[in-house]
Amino acid sequence: MHLKPFTVKATGFVKHIFFFPFFGEKKIWHNLFEISIFIKGLNGFWEIVAGGLFLFFSKYFLAVYFLFYGIVNIFLMVFLLRNKLWAYPTAIIFFTAFTSYLCYRFYQYRSWPLLFFIVFDIIFVVLTYLEYRRVKKSNAVW
């Protein structure tokens, strides 16, 4: 028995106003991946702003940390949106390494907001892996 992937179908005006671009006639995992890229991009932007503020207030370690992570975040998001095949494993490796560091920091300080970012990054890594498999399969030459 072959199950069809869950899709949301809408037509006409409703499709373009309420469902586009997140819930078109695509697989739900792809839609969640696109939403998570948007969220990660916004997060990268705010991290760059925070890094600039920390630099202004002479908090150099925090400034470099936020600036580096924000720039890499936006860099990877741009190339993921362009479906560059190399960006998927790069993002998986980078965010897995960074999430490992966040887990270490959570273990040290028990910062509960940090747990939110850990869970989000784990979900993002899984969605990136699923999207990588989908893109790689669709780019395969038979």
Side-chain angles (χ1 to χ4, degrees), residues 56-90:
F56 182 73
F57 290 111
S58 300
K59 306 281 186 185
Y60 297 115
F61 174 77
L62 288 174
V64 169
Y65 172 83
F66 278 109
L67 286 171
F68 172 75
Y69 187 68
I71 290 169
V72 171
N73 219 345
I74 289 177
F75 175 79
L76 287 173
M77 296 311 109
V78 166
F79 286 103
L80 286 172
L81 283 173
R82 292 181 179 179
N83 287 328
K84 298 295 183 185
L85 209 53
W86 62 266
Y88 293 93
T90 304

Side-chain angles (χ1 to χ4, degrees), residues 13-24:
F13 181 73
V14 173
K15 178 179 179 179
H16 294 290
I17 298 301
F18 295 107
F19 292 102
F20 184 79
F22 300 120
F23 297 106

